[in-house]
Amino acid sequence: MKKMTFGQAVGIKLESKGAQLRRECPLAQLMDSETDMVRQIRALDSDMQTLVYENYNKFISATDTIRKMKNDFRKMEDEMDRLATNMAVITDFSARISATLQDRHERITKLAGVHALLRKLQFLFELPSRLTKCVELGAYGQAVRYQGRARAVLQQYQHLPSFRAIQDDCQVITARLAQQLRQRFREGGSGAPEQAECVELLLALGEPAEELCEEFLAHARGRLEEELRSLEAELGPSPPAPDVLEFTDRGGNGFVSGLCQVAATYQELFSAQGPAGAEKLAAFTRELGSRYFALVERRLAQEQGGSDNSLLVRALDRFHRRLRAPGTLLAAAGLAEAATEIVERVAYERLGHHLQSLRAAFLGCLTDVRQALAAPRLAGKEGPGLAELLANVASSILSHIKASLAAVHLFTAKEVSFSNKPYFRGEFCSQGVREGLIVGFIRSMCQTAQSFCDSPGEKGGATPPALLLLLSRLCLDYETATISYILTLTDEQFLVQDQSPVTPVSTLCAEARETARRLLTHYVKVQGLVISQMLRKSVETRDWLSTLEPRNVRAVMKRVVEDTTAIDVQVGLLYEEGVRKAQSSDSSKRTFSVYSSSRQQGRYAPSYTPSAPMDTNLLSNIQKLFSERIDVFSPVEFNKVSVLTGIIKISLKTLLECVRLRTFGRFGLQQVQVDCHFLQLYLWRFVADEELVHLLLDEVVASAALRCPDPVPMEPSVVEVICERG
């Protein structure tokens, strides 16, 4: 059966489809199909023409290439035919030459063997003279090589007289050569490579290896100790010591390089000594290495007072890199481990140095604050505000902390050779930087701040109250945000890979908050004590029995109000207002509640006889049972109202206790009435609950009335007039 082509199959398919269309479709649809088919044919013709035009040059080029390839292959076939002919001719000539020279080749081989043997014999007979000439010229290496080439032959044929004589002469010359090599080695005038060559030649001559080993180490010790003495001289007091980087470079280029050379040469020369020889070298290296490390530590100790870590870290990096080579050569000596321990100790000491620097910076900030607080008073002018001083202290401390973190971060930089050690990836970051430096400084700062709460003296020592207030706000800010920020910054810079427990942020924040609370409480006590001293002296230094009828408010009460107002302004610079209880509309005009107790005493004045005091005291005590108890030293909250409330409670309680210790005349009692009303007019607005001021002032007037033989109070209207005029 004849196979159908693709075109025939397509034609048959199209013909069957056309017949189907003619049968099933109307004339209009057939016309549309014909139009669509003509459009497709034209599109295909256009695409085919485009393809031909675009690839015409390629077709032409491909045709030319095929034509050239045909011509080149014809030439190549001709050349291959000529090459095959020439190779056949060469093969024929080679076969004829080999057949002709076969007999001569065997004879030439025999003659060549005889010639080589004669040359060896000639070398043996000339060996004594050659050795003598090499010794005279100083070519010791060549002489030893000659001796080595002839030793086995002379040993093998020493029973022959002629060879025995040559061997005896060579032994005499070799002994003289060995003596000269030893003399040259012991003099030590040549360099280390020449001495190593001497030892190598002596070993080749069969000298005892044990003895040469000891002598080699002794000579090496002399050279290395000279390097150590040179380094030690640089640490002396008379010449100026070079910087630490230059010192470590000199030690690395001199001592460490020499030690590496000695170790490499020793292992090359005395490898046959086995473990005993290796132990000798390890002990030798440990002894000299420990002396070198001691010098390096002395020099590094001189850098502990410096503030720049970059030069120190570069010096430690080069020191550590230099000792990796001998550490690899001599793992038993432990030089690399000892160098790493030195680097770790220096890094730990630098952490301590930076901690001391942070403490000194904090104390310096406090000194600046003291001076800024004292300078305006001395000069009589306005100084910087507490808010500005607080911002300066906080920014200064934070900048010092960031500078310290950047300085110690150099120890963990990727380009530093020891930064990949486990200590610098774990313990240094967690226990050193985070716990030792940052947490240690924060706790030190809190302890320093708390020490101001323990200052002796009647008025809190020499600590300015404004400094206590500023430190309390600083610690509160640390508790709120700064501690979390600093520890987060530390953890981001020092990626801790250590599982050791660390101090939680919450613990540090709690310590800072407790410090702020103690400082603020101490501030309240100090300021309350200052006002209390004024009130106490004003009560104790006045004769209340013979005082005149009051016409004015005493100056000390005005001073109390002024100081309280100044404290209110001062605290308001750093702390928020706080919450007050709802105040009555007549808080500044209440006189009945303030003087109610005294009026009761006036009502009972006719009964004041020697037999009546127990009754009035009993009435006063019964009244106190039903009054609200006032806690003078209650906890202080972090707001202005709480601080002022604490100060006013201490002041008024002091006034109350001082009044209880005095005896008052009628006008003395009335003066107390005027003073208390004046205080009530102004102090109620500073406290959280105005009833507190009313109760304390009520008790003051009541106590004065109890201590008065003639308790006749002043009319409230007169009291108000005096206070308004004052």
Side-chain angles (χ1 to χ4, degrees):
M1 183 176 181
K2 189 174 182 181
K3 193 172 182 180
M4 186 181 300
T5 63
F6 176 75
Q8 292 173 343
V10 171
I12 293 173
K13 187 173 182 180
L14 291 174
E15 185 178 354
S16 62
K17 188 174 182 180
Q20 183 180 2
L21 288 173
R22 287 193 299 272
R23 289 194 306 271
E24 297 177 357
C25 297
L27 180 61
Q29 187 175 356
L30 288 176
M31 295 295 291
D32 293 339
S33 298
E34 181 186 9
T35 304
D36 184 49
M37 188 177 299
V38 170
R39 186 172 61 254
Q40 291 180 6
I41 292 172
R42 290 176 180 173
L44 289 174
D45 289 341
S46 176
D47 291 343
M48 186 175 296
Q49 289 178 1
T50 301
L51 286 174
V52 172
Y53 292 153
E54 288 178 352
N55 295 283
Y56 178 76
N57 291 332
K58 297 179 182 178
F59 292 152
I60 299 300
S61 177
T63 304
D64 294 341
T65 302
I66 293 172
R67 187 181 298 111
K68 288 174 63 178
M69 287 176 63
K70 288 182 179 180
N71 295 332
D72 292 341
F73 274 117
R74 291 194 189 97
K75 294 179 181 179
M76 190 178 295
E77 288 177 358
D78 296 339
E79 291 178 357
M80 290 298 295
D81 292 340
R82 288 196 296 271
L83 180 60
T85 304
N86 292 335
M87 289 298 297
V89 173
I90 291 171
T91 302
D92 181 47
F93 276 114
S94 177
R96 283 189 287 173
I97 290 172
S98 297
T100 304
L101 298 178
Q102 181 66 35
D103 297 337
R104 295 181 182 179
H105 177 70
E106 294 177 357
R107 289 167 56 193
I108 289 172
T109 303
K110 291 180 181 179
L111 290 175
V114 173
H115 177 70
L117 180 60
L118 291 175
R119 290 185 60 187
K120 290 180 181 179
L121 291 174
Q122 182 182 6
F123 174 77
L124 289 175
F125 285 114
E126 293 177 353
L127 181 60
S129 60
R130 286 177 182 245
L131 292 177
T132 302
K133 186 174 181 181
C134 288
V135 171
E136 292 175 353
L137 296 175
Y140 302 124
Q142 186 66 39
V144 172
R145 285 193 290 273
Y146 285 160
Q147 174 67 16
R149 286 173 57 187
R151 181 183 295 128
V153 177
L154 293 176
Q155 288 287 343
Q156 183 178 359
Y157 296 104
Q158 63 179 346
H159 59 280
L160 300 176
S162 57
F163 286 94
R164 182 59 180 267
I166 294 172
Q167 186 180 23
D168 293 341
D169 293 341
C170 290
Q171 287 178 350
V172 172
I173 298 171
T174 303
R176 190 167 71 252
L177 172 61
Q179 184 178 2
Q180 292 185 10
L181 287 173
R182 281 185 177 275
Q183 183 66 25
R184 183 182 178 189
F185 176 66
R186 288 168 181 167
E187 288 176 356
S190 56
E194 289 77 8
Q195 289 191 337
E197 183 184 4
C198 290
V199 174
E200 184 179 6
L201 295 177
L202 288 171
L203 288 172
L205 291 176
E207 295 294 315
E210 184 73 20
E211 182 180 349
L212 290 175
C213 173
E214 296 292 340
E215 291 187 11
F216 177 79
L217 291 180
H219 283 287
R221 182 188 299 275
R223 293 197 307 272
L224 294 176
E225 285 181 345
E226 184 178 353
E227 294 286 348
L228 293 176
R229 285 192 293 271
S230 174
L231 291 175
E232 189 172 9
E234 294 181 356
L235 298 176
S238 51
D243 62 57
V244 65
L245 183 61
E246 184 179 353
F247 182 85
T248 52
D249 280 343
R250 289 183 184 178
N253 295 332
F255 175 80
V256 178
S257 296
L259 186 63
C260 291
Q261 189 176 19
V262 168
T265 304
Y266 183 94
Q267 291 179 345
E268 182 180 353
L269 295 176
F270 303 105
S271 57
Q273 293 294 307
E279 181 56 34
K280 283 184 181 180
L281 180 60
F284 170 83
T285 306
R286 277 195 297 268
E287 178 188 353
L288 293 178
S290 63
R291 293 171 59 184
Y292 173 65
F293 291 153
L295 294 176
V296 171
E297 288 193 275
R298 282 176 55 188
R299 182 62 187 86
L300 292 174
Q302 299 175 5
E303 294 293 315
Q304 291 305 316
S307 58
D308 184 17
N309 273 2
S310 58
L311 191 65
L312 178 62
V313 171
R314 288 173 58 197
L316 290 173
D317 180 40
R318 294 190 186 181
F319 167 73
H320 188 266
R321 287 179 189 274
R322 285 286 189 177
L323 284 163
R324 285 194 299 186
T328 305
L329 286 172
L330 287 172
L335 295 183
E337 292 78 5
T340 303
E341 291 177 1
I342 290 176
V343 174
E344 291 174 358
R345 282 199 298 272
V346 172
Y348 180 78
E349 291 171 358
R350 290 303 293 176
L351 289 176
H353 167 73
H354 282 287
L355 177 59
Q356 294 299 326
S357 298
L358 288 176
R359 290 173 177 170
F362 178 61
L363 293 177
C365 290
L366 298 185
T367 302
D368 294 340
V369 171
R370 284 175 177 266
Q371 293 175 352
L373 293 175
R377 293 200 303 267
L378 297 176
K381 58 182 181 180
E382 189 71 21
L386 282 182
E388 181 182 352
L389 290 176
L390 175 64
N392 293 339
V393 171
S395 62
S396 177
I397 294 174
L398 189 59
S399 64
H400 278 91
I401 290 175
K402 289 182 178 180
S404 296
L405 288 176
V408 298
H409 189 263
L410 296 174
F411 287 96
T412 61
K414 292 182 179 180
E415 61 271 12
V416 178
S417 61
F418 51 78
S419 63
N420 58 351
K421 297 296 180 181
Y423 173 77
F424 289 98
R425 288 299 179 193
E427 184 180 350
F428 177 78
C429 296
S430 63
Q431 301 303 314
V433 177
R434 191 186 191 277
E435 295 297 305
L437 181 60
I438 301 303
V439 176
F441 169 68
I442 293 174
R443 284 179 167 163
S444 173
M445 186 179 70
C446 292
Q447 292 171 2
T448 303
Q450 288 186 21
S451 66
F452 292 109
C453 300
D454 305 326
S455 56
E458 189 179 13
K459 295 185 179 180
T463 305
L467 179 60
L468 297 173
L469 187 65
L470 184 144
L471 287 175
S472 70
R473 184 67 213 192
L474 178 66
C475 292
L476 186 63
D477 289 343
Y478 265 67
E479 182 265 338
T480 305
T482 309
I483 290 178
S484 177
Y485 169 74
I486 292 174
L487 290 181
T488 301
L489 180 66
T490 304
D491 293 339
E492 289 176 354
Q493 291 188 12
F494 299 86
L495 300 176
V496 179
Q497 299 178 0
D498 188 20
Q499 302 300 322
S500 301
V502 294
T503 305
V505 177
S506 58
T507 302
L508 277 182
C509 291
E511 294 177 8
R513 187 176 184 84
E514 175 63 19
T515 303
R517 186 195 62 78
R518 287 192 59 187
L519 286 165
L520 196 59
T521 302
H522 190 62
Y523 173 80
V524 169
K525 291 180 180 179
V526 170
Q527 294 288 47
L529 186 59
V530 171
I531 298 177
S532 297
Q533 291 302 319
M534 289 192 299
L535 294 172
R536 181 175 66 84
K537 289 180 180 179
S538 71
V539 174
E540 292 177 351
T541 58
R542 191 178 183 92
D543 185 3
W544 294 98
L545 288 173
S546 58
T547 186
L548 300 177
E549 184 177 0
R551 290 291 181 266
N552 293 297
V553 179
R554 288 190 300 149
V556 68
M557 297 302 166
K558 298 178 182 179
R559 177 69 183 277
V560 168
V561 173
E562 291 173 358
D563 288 359
T564 305
T565 305
I567 293 172
D568 179 75
V569 173
Q570 187 181 69
V571 177
L573 294 174
L574 298 182
Y575 283 99
E576 293 76 15
E577 181 70 22
V579 180
R580 302 176 189 271
K581 288 188 178 180
Q583 300 171 353
S584 62
S585 59
D586 60 342
S587 297
S588 62
K589 296 185 178 298
R590 293 179 59 179
T591 56
F592 180 80
S593 63
V594 175
Y595 310 120
S596 59
S597 298
S598 61
R599 288 184 175 182
Q600 289 173 6
Q601 294 302 320
R603 190 179 305 142
Y604 293 104
S607 64
Y608 270 28
T609 61
S611 61
M614 286 301 296
D615 296 333
T616 56
N617 288 338
L618 181 61
L619 288 173
S620 176
N621 291 333
I622 291 174
Q623 182 184 2
K624 289 180 182 179
L625 289 176
F626 292 96
S627 63
E628 183 180 356
R629 181 181 178 275
I630 299 174
D631 187 4
V632 178
F633 297 102
S634 59
V636 182
E637 298 178 2
F638 296 105
N639 58 71
K640 184 176 72 172
V641 171
S642 179
V643 172
L644 269 295
T645 301
I647 295 172
I648 291 173
K649 284 194 297 184
I650 293 174
S651 304
L652 296 184
K653 185 66 174 177
T654 302
L655 177 61
L656 174 61
E657 297 302 325
C658 292
V659 166
R660 286 175 177 171
L661 298 177
R662 306 295 292 179
T663 302
F664 296 86
R666 177 189 299 179
F667 296 141
L669 172 61
Q670 293 176 0
Q671 184 66 59
V672 171
Q673 284 182 267
V674 172
D675 292 343
C676 289
H677 182 64
F678 181 79
L679 292 178
Q680 180 263 330
L681 287 176
Y682 294 98
L683 294 186
W684 66 270
R685 59 175 59 90
F686 297 120
V687 297
D689 186 3
E690 65 183 52
E691 290 297 327
L692 176 70
V693 175
H694 300 325
L695 288 173
L696 286 172
L697 292 176
D698 262 346
E699 283 199 47
V700 171
V701 177
S703 297
L706 286 174
R707 301 292 298 170
C708 179
D710 185 18
V712 178
M714 182 178 284
E715 288 297 324
S717 59
V718 179
V719 173
E720 292 177 6
V721 170
I722 294 174
C723 291
E724 289 174 0
R725 188 174 66 238

